[in-house]
Amino acid sequence: MSTVGRFARSDIKHSNALFSSFKAMVEANFYGNNVEIVKTLGDAYELAKSCPKTVVTDMPTSHTKELGLPDDAKILVSNDGKVVGRTAAARRIIGQPGIDKAYYEGILREAIYQSTQHHYYRADVYVGLDEEFMVKSHVMIPEGFENNLYAYMANFQVMTSEFDQMYQNSAKYQEDDIYLFADPYWSHPDFPHGLALFDPEHNVAAILGLRYFGELKKATLTMAWATAHRNGFIACHGGMKQYDLGDRKFTMAAFGLSGSGKSTITLAEHGDQYKVTVLHDDAFVISEKDGATTALEPAYFDKTQDYPLTNNAVNYFLTCQNVGVTLDEEGQKVIVTEDIRNGNGRTVKSRYVTPNRVDHLKEGIDAVFWIMKDDSLPPVTRIDDPVLAAVFGVTLATKRSTAENVVPGTDLESLVIEPFANPFRAYPLKEDYMDFRDLFASGRTSCYILNTGFFNGKKVTPQDTLGSIGKIVEGTAEFNDFGPMTAMSYLPLADHPVDFDDRLYVQRLRKRIEDRLVFIQEQKDINEGYNALPEEASLLIQHLILELESYLEE
């Protein structure tokens, strides 16, 4: 799939579907006299290396030739101020209820005008790594934030002859290129937390007053996912891997917020036990036509706290954000990977950290795993009803992550529901619900819930989770009935027994199910019902509650 970046002059007046006031404002800014085009990752590296905000470490990175970097390229560090995560409160999406288009047009016009006082850099990349799905993206970042430019070009696919040809061969769709304008210097009294403004139907966004690189990455994915959704793909914020068992293959997807264990599950090293290929640990799309999957990014944007300096993965770091730097025993500048300076220290790692990496899997998905941190659920639960499988995706329960910049006073330990672990949706929730329901209804894809938090007061370890997945992959997992709930079963683990004779446990389980029903019913009243779900979702959750209530009354 390729997008429309250029127009015949005779067609421009007929292209209203591809233009809006927001696109016209943002795209024009890309061609200003104050904008310098940066074409290669090597050029972006040199700019970032020379930025006053940069710490150039003495830690070399690998595969510099393949990446187009200088032979002596080092890991670069850039640190932000108070905010070191994504700010959900800043997001505004044109076309959604309650969003005053005219008001935001004025805000954006003034922001763009003020930006002309700064020198800017522009870069062009591809989002999507196979002919089946590719979108061209253009980003504009001001001088002083060269590290974000370098991280952006390192995270997505820079333009090379190989990918240029792939893009030319990809399917053509009447969709805009992505245009992403960023001005971290911007401020406005009405938006003390910044403003992330999206016009997803026209693939344009403005990230204003926000320094964190993750805002640029997720803004781009927001628009790429929306584009995919409009054109026959399921948008996925998750990890995807495939096991080769010799006589068959097993393809699985894992969905969870940052910190849930998604990357641990997707990127786990299996030694000689399994031959595994990895698609990606964060962003991909599924073709509704045949179930094939395509990664959207070549690199990985991961937490540094997961990697001590002795970990081999550190050799593949390109940039680091919001981490400490110290001197080692030889007086060399090295990063402090633990989250000591602040939470959510981050790195962009190159694709070469995963030797078994692929960009496209033609086989359909055998299993979807919803990753929860819900202490009412055993470590592994199987869902046998396609509607209920989609409902549990809608009501994916977890805890807030340090990757988020939340309102002061927010309880990071309380459970929250984040549908499909994707807070970056730019279209009604029911559309994702129906996509996943149909995926499960096909009969090809099974559904499981992984609780990676605590169960009955005991932590579920990565070994518990990975070992259980291994049994499912091998076909040796034997599931028990999940009490009275006929559409669910669980995988028994010796360290995490399930006791339905414990009334307090059953009551806790019922409360968690009721919380899900409340969430679903609230969608009818919030935001003018924009995210309301089909009635079947509420009815099935109500049936689960009745099963539990009948059991408690016995």
Side-chain angles (χ1 to χ4, degrees):
M1 170 185 175
S2 59
T3 46
V4 178
R6 298 183 181 184
F7 300 86
R9 294 188 182 189
S10 59
D11 293 336
I12 291 177
K13 66 179 180 179
H14 302 298
S15 61
N16 290 338
L18 290 173
F19 277 86
S20 69
S21 58
F22 295 95
K23 173 177 163 56
M25 282 186 274
V26 170
E27 185 185 357
N29 211 31
F30 275 70
Y31 311 125
N33 286 338
N34 62 322
V35 180
E36 177 183 346
I37 298 176
V38 180
K39 293 185 176 181
T40 71
L41 188 61
D43 289 342
Y45 171 83
E46 294 296 345
L47 287 170
K49 180 182 175 182
S50 301
C51 177
K53 298 176 183 177
T54 300
V55 177
V56 182
T57 73
D58 293 309
M59 302 173 65
T61 191
S62 60
H63 290 273
T64 54
K65 181 178 180 180
E66 293 90 338
L67 292 166
L69 293 172
D71 293 340
D72 61 350
K74 301 295 192 297
I75 297 172
L76 304 183
V77 172
S78 177
N79 291 328
D80 296 326
K82 180 179 180 180
V83 177
V84 292
R86 299 186 309 270
T87 305
R91 291 170 69 89
R92 304 288 189 278
I93 299 177
I94 301 302
Q96 290 194 358
I99 301 299
D100 185 340
K101 179 183 175 183
Y103 171 73
Y104 286 103
E105 284 175 332
I107 291 288
L108 183 57
R109 279 198 305 271
E110 185 63 22
I112 287 175
Y113 176 78
Q114 296 297 335
S115 75
T116 60
Q117 309 304 310
H118 294 286
H119 181 73
Y120 268 78
Y121 301 103
R122 166 189 166 179
D124 308 316
V125 299
Y126 293 119
V127 185
L129 306 178
D130 186 82
E131 291 180 9
E132 185 161 291
F133 184 82
M134 297 182 75
V135 179
K136 189 179 289 186
S137 180
H138 314 280
V139 68
M140 186 172 161
I141 299 173
E143 183 177 1
F145 287 87
E146 290 85 351
N147 280 282
N148 278 354
L149 178 78
Y150 175 50
Y152 190 88
M153 295 180 72
N155 185 83
F156 294 106
Q157 179 57 53
V158 294
M159 294 185 173
T160 65
S161 57
E162 175 189 358
F163 277 89
D164 288 344
Q165 186 61 53
M166 187 184 298
Y167 184 74
Q168 292 302 317
N169 294 339
S170 62
K172 306 297 188 292
Y173 287 88
Q174 285 297 107
E175 293 278 359
D176 279 318
D177 288 358
I178 291 171
Y179 288 88
L180 177 61
F181 165 68
D183 185 359
Y185 298 113
W186 181 87
S187 65
H188 192 286
D190 291 352
F191 302 95
H193 303 294
L195 174 63
L197 183 62
F198 293 85
D199 177 4
E201 289 190 11
H202 300 92
N203 275 348
V204 65
I207 307 301
L208 307 175
L210 298 162
R211 305 176 188 131
Y212 177 58
F213 167 70
E215 298 285 3
L216 304 180
K217 169 184 157 73
K218 293 304 186 184
T220 303
L221 292 176
T222 293
M223 292 182 284
W225 277 321
T227 301
H229 173 73
R230 290 192 293 267
N231 291 281
F233 296 87
I234 304 173
C236 299
H237 180 223
M240 170 72 71
K241 67 195 297 186
Q242 184 179 81
Y243 295 77
D244 186 344
L245 303 174
D247 58 339
R248 64 184 178 89
K249 294 179 179 179
F250 187 95
T251 307
M252 61 161 284
F255 294 80
L257 288 179
S258 176
S260 67
K262 169 169 57 79
S263 294
T264 299
I265 292 167
T266 306
L267 303 177
E269 296 181 1
H270 299 284
D272 296 330
Q273 185 177 10
Y274 302 112
K275 181 181 178 182
V276 174
T277 53
V278 172
L279 186 80
H280 203 262
D281 74 336
D282 189 58
F284 61 95
V285 296
I286 304 171
S287 169
E288 294 178 349
K289 178 178 63 178
D290 57 13
T293 52
T294 301
L296 298 187
E297 311 160 289
Y300 306 93
F301 185 50
D302 286 347
K303 293 175 177 290
T304 56
Q305 69 173 3
D306 297 332
Y307 302 100
L309 288 182
T310 53
N311 190 300
N312 182 60
V314 175
N315 296 321
Y316 301 90
F317 287 11
L318 300 176
T319 72
C320 288
Q321 296 90 34
N322 302 318
V323 301
V325 177
T326 191
L327 301 179
D328 67 9
E329 66 275 15
E330 298 178 358
Q332 301 288 296
K333 288 174 289 187
V334 298
I335 58 173
V336 178
T337 56
E338 296 87 356
D339 280 354
I340 295 174
R341 178 187 187 270
N342 47 258
N344 198 40
R346 286 279 173 163
T347 179
V348 175
K349 299 182 301 184
S350 78
R351 64 177 297 130
Y352 299 103
V353 70
T354 313
N356 50 347
R357 173 67 190 272
V358 295
D359 293 332
H360 182 76
L361 290 170
K362 64 180 180 180
E363 295 83 7
I365 300 176
D366 294 289
V368 164
F369 294 83
W370 305 129
I371 307 174
M372 311 271 189
K373 287 192 174 181
D374 182 340
D375 61 359
S376 74
L377 295 174
V380 185
T381 311
R382 186 176 68 195
I383 311 299
D384 296 318
D385 182 282
V387 173
L388 186 59
V391 166
F392 269 104
V394 166
T395 58
L396 190 148
T398 188
K399 292 183 179 180
R400 287 297 179 197
S401 160
T402 57
E404 300 173 83
N405 172 40
V406 296
V407 175
T410 300
D411 182 6
L412 294 178
E413 294 302 312
S414 63
L415 282 181
V416 296
I417 290 176
E418 190 60 75
F420 304 109
N422 190 354
F424 314 107
R425 186 179 304 99
Y427 47 85
L429 174 60
K430 68 179 179 182
E431 296 179 15
D432 267 351
Y433 165 81
M434 295 170 68
D435 283 348
F436 280 101
R437 182 198 63 188
D438 292 347
L439 179 68
F440 295 124
S442 69
R444 166 68 191 269
T445 305
S446 301
C447 179
Y448 303 88
I449 298 172
L450 300 175
N451 174 15
T452 58
F454 286 80
F455 182 62
N456 289 332
K458 189 171 184 179
K459 180 71 173 75
V460 180
T461 67
Q463 291 74 26
D464 293 328
T465 301
L466 294 172
S468 299
I469 292 173
K471 291 179 180 179
I472 293 170
V473 169
E474 294 169 358
T476 60
E478 296 183 3
F479 286 80
N480 291 349
D481 292 340
F482 194 47
M485 294 190 287
T486 54
M488 300 174 66
S489 54
Y490 74 95
L491 182 64
L493 296 180
D495 290 342
H496 300 281
V498 178
D499 183 7
F500 269 86
D501 291 331
D502 181 349
R503 291 182 62 84
L504 290 178
Y505 167 67
V506 178
Q507 290 169 355
R508 185 169 76 248
L509 177 61
R510 182 184 61 182
K511 177 62 170 62
R512 293 295 191 206
I513 300 296
E514 289 173 344
D515 289 344
R516 288 174 163 84
L517 178 61
V518 169
F519 176 83
I520 291 172
Q521 292 178 334
E522 284 177 345
Q523 305 315 304
K524 300 175 184 178
D525 302 319
I526 297 174
N527 207 14
E528 300 180 23
Y530 182 79
N531 284 323
L533 295 172
E535 192 64 24
E536 64 184 18
S538 293
L539 292 176
L540 198 49
I541 289 290
Q542 288 171 353
H543 178 71
L544 290 185
I545 294 171
L546 287 175
E547 288 181 322
L548 288 170
E549 288 178 345
S550 297
Y551 184 83
L552 286 168
E553 292 172 358
E554 292 179 358

PDB file of all heavy atoms in Angstrom, residues 337-349:
ATOM      1  N   THR A 337      21.535   2.619  33.300  1.00  0.00           N
ATOM      2  CA  THR A 337      20.316   2.050  32.729  1.00  0.00           C
ATOM      3  C   THR A 337      19.175   1.943  33.723  1.00  0.00           C
ATOM      4  O   THR A 337      18.016   1.905  33.321  1.00  0.00           O
ATOM      5  CB  THR A 337      20.599   0.662  32.134  1.00  0.00           C
ATOM      6  OG1 THR A 337      21.175  -0.188  33.136  1.00  0.00           O
ATOM      7  CG2 THR A 337      21.567   0.755  30.966  1.00  0.00           C
ATOM      8  N   GLU A 338      19.462   1.832  35.012  1.00  0.00           N
ATOM      9  CA  GLU A 338      18.371   1.805  35.983  1.00  0.00           C
ATOM     10  C   GLU A 338      17.661   3.156  35.990  1.00  0.00           C
ATOM     11  O   GLU A 338      18.258   4.185  35.732  1.00  0.00           O
ATOM     12  CB  GLU A 338      18.895   1.494  37.385  1.00  0.00           C
ATOM     13  CG  GLU A 338      19.529   0.124  37.541  1.00  0.00           C
ATOM     14  CD  GLU A 338      21.009   0.125  37.189  1.00  0.00           C
ATOM     15  OE1 GLU A 338      21.529   1.185  36.756  1.00  0.00           O
ATOM     16  OE2 GLU A 338      21.637  -0.929  37.344  1.00  0.00           O
ATOM     17  N   ASP A 339      16.362   3.122  36.302  1.00  0.00           N
ATOM     18  CA  ASP A 339      15.581   4.362  36.336  1.00  0.00           C
ATOM     19  C   ASP A 339      15.860   5.122  37.633  1.00  0.00           C
ATOM     20  O   ASP A 339      15.010   5.218  38.523  1.00  0.00           O
ATOM     21  CB  ASP A 339      14.091   4.052  36.203  1.00  0.00           C
ATOM     22  CG  ASP A 339      13.670   3.795  34.765  1.00  0.00           C
ATOM     23  OD1 ASP A 339      14.510   3.969  33.866  1.00  0.00           O
ATOM     24  OD2 ASP A 339      12.512   3.415  34.548  1.00  0.00           O
ATOM     25  N   ILE A 340      17.073   5.673  37.722  1.00  0.00           N
ATOM     26  CA  ILE A 340      17.471   6.432  38.901  1.00  0.00           C
ATOM     27  C   ILE A 340      17.174   7.914  38.708  1.00  0.00           C
ATOM     28  O   ILE A 340      16.617   8.574  39.591  1.00  0.00           O
ATOM     29  CB  ILE A 340      18.972   6.218  39.200  1.00  0.00           C
ATOM     30  CG1 ILE A 340      19.215   4.749  39.568  1.00  0.00           C
ATOM     31  CG2 ILE A 340      19.434   7.149  40.315  1.00  0.00           C
ATOM     32  CD1 ILE A 340      20.675   4.395  39.735  1.00  0.00           C
ATOM     33  N   ARG A 341      17.549   8.444  37.549  1.00  0.00           N
ATOM     34  CA  ARG A 341      17.262   9.854  37.264  1.00  0.00           C
ATOM     35  C   ARG A 341      15.764  10.118  37.289  1.00  0.00           C
ATOM     36  O   ARG A 341      15.285  11.115  37.811  1.00  0.00           O
ATOM     37  CB  ARG A 341      17.830  10.238  35.894  1.00  0.00           C
ATOM     38  CG  ARG A 341      17.536  11.684  35.478  1.00  0.00           C
ATOM     39  CD  ARG A 341      17.970  11.943  34.048  1.00  0.00           C
ATOM     40  NE  ARG A 341      17.850  13.355  33.700  1.00  0.00           N
ATOM     41  CZ  ARG A 341      16.755  13.911  33.166  1.00  0.00           C
ATOM     42  NH1 ARG A 341      15.680  13.161  32.936  1.00  0.00           N
ATOM     43  NH2 ARG A 341      16.732  15.205  32.875  1.00  0.00           N
ATOM     44  N   ASN A 342      14.994   9.212  36.698  1.00  0.00           N
ATOM     45  CA  ASN A 342      13.544   9.329  36.572  1.00  0.00           C
ATOM     46  C   ASN A 342      13.014   7.987  36.079  1.00  0.00           C
ATOM     47  O   ASN A 342      13.775   7.112  35.675  1.00  0.00           O
ATOM     48  CB  ASN A 342      13.169  10.427  35.555  1.00  0.00           C
ATOM     49  CG  ASN A 342      13.959  10.322  34.262  1.00  0.00           C
ATOM     50  OD1 ASN A 342      14.917  11.079  34.058  1.00  0.00           O
ATOM     51  ND2 ASN A 342      13.595   9.387  33.397  1.00  0.00           N
ATOM     52  N   GLY A 343      11.718   7.825  36.117  1.00  0.00           N
ATOM     53  CA  GLY A 343      11.120   6.643  35.523  1.00  0.00           C
ATOM     54  C   GLY A 343      11.137   6.729  34.009  1.00  0.00           C
ATOM     55  O   GLY A 343      11.328   7.792  33.420  1.00  0.00           O
ATOM     56  N   ASN A 344      10.980   5.588  33.357  1.00  0.00           N
ATOM     57  CA  ASN A 344      10.795   5.523  31.905  1.00  0.00           C
ATOM     58  C   ASN A 344      12.014   5.965  31.103  1.00  0.00           C
ATOM     59  O   ASN A 344      11.880   6.615  30.066  1.00  0.00           O
ATOM     60  CB  ASN A 344       9.568   6.336  31.472  1.00  0.00           C
ATOM     61  CG  ASN A 344       9.079   5.960  30.083  1.00  0.00           C
ATOM     62  OD1 ASN A 344       9.062   4.786  29.725  1.00  0.00           O
ATOM     63  ND2 ASN A 344       8.697   6.947  29.292  1.00  0.00           N
ATOM     64  N   GLY A 345      13.227   5.643  31.580  1.00  0.00           N
ATOM     65  CA  GLY A 345      14.384   5.819  30.720  1.00  0.00           C
ATOM     66  C   GLY A 345      14.211   4.986  29.466  1.00  0.00           C
ATOM     67  O   GLY A 345      13.745   3.839  29.523  1.00  0.00           O
ATOM     68  N   ARG A 346      14.580   5.525  28.305  1.00  0.00           N
ATOM     69  CA  ARG A 346      14.257   4.886  27.030  1.00  0.00           C
ATOM     70  C   ARG A 346      15.454   4.812  26.092  1.00  0.00           C
ATOM     71  O   ARG A 346      16.391   5.610  26.166  1.00  0.00           O
ATOM     72  CB  ARG A 346      13.148   5.671  26.329  1.00  0.00           C
ATOM     73  CG  ARG A 346      11.773   5.480  26.957  1.00  0.00           C
ATOM     74  CD  ARG A 346      11.144   4.200  26.484  1.00  0.00           C
ATOM     75  NE  ARG A 346       9.898   3.886  27.167  1.00  0.00           N
ATOM     76  CZ  ARG A 346       9.022   3.009  26.697  1.00  0.00           C
ATOM     77  NH1 ARG A 346       9.252   2.377  25.563  1.00  0.00           N
ATOM     78  NH2 ARG A 346       7.921   2.754  27.376  1.00  0.00           N
ATOM     79  N   THR A 347      15.382   3.852  25.180  1.00  0.00           N
ATOM     80  CA  THR A 347      16.378   3.728  24.126  1.00  0.00           C
ATOM     81  C   THR A 347      15.708   3.350  22.816  1.00  0.00           C
ATOM     82  O   THR A 347      14.683   2.666  22.815  1.00  0.00           O
ATOM     83  CB  THR A 347      17.436   2.662  24.469  1.00  0.00           C
ATOM     84  OG1 THR A 347      18.380   2.565  23.381  1.00  0.00           O
ATOM     85  CG2 THR A 347      16.803   1.292  24.673  1.00  0.00           C
ATOM     86  N   VAL A 348      16.275   3.810  21.710  1.00  0.00           N
ATOM     87  CA  VAL A 348      15.949   3.270  20.393  1.00  0.00           C
ATOM     88  C   VAL A 348      17.032   2.257  20.055  1.00  0.00           C
ATOM     89  O   VAL A 348      18.205   2.603  19.953  1.00  0.00           O
ATOM     90  CB  VAL A 348      15.893   4.371  19.320  1.00  0.00           C
ATOM     91  CG1 VAL A 348      15.671   3.748  17.930  1.00  0.00           C
ATOM     92  CG2 VAL A 348      14.781   5.372  19.627  1.00  0.00           C
ATOM     93  N   LYS A 349      16.623   0.986  19.935  1.00  0.00           N
ATOM     94  CA  LYS A 349      17.550  -0.091  19.561  1.00  0.00           C
ATOM     95  C   LYS A 349      17.351  -0.411  18.080  1.00  0.00           C
ATOM     96  O   LYS A 349      16.223  -0.397  17.578  1.00  0.00           O
ATOM     97  CB  LYS A 349      17.266  -1.369  20.361  1.00  0.00           C
ATOM     98  CG  LYS A 349      17.407  -1.254  21.857  1.00  0.00           C
ATOM     99  CD  LYS A 349      17.147  -2.598  22.524  1.00  0.00           C
ATOM    100  CE  LYS A 349      15.764  -3.120  22.217  1.00  0.00           C
ATOM    101  NZ  LYS A 349      15.448  -4.372  22.921  1.00  0.00           N
TER     102      LYS A 349
END
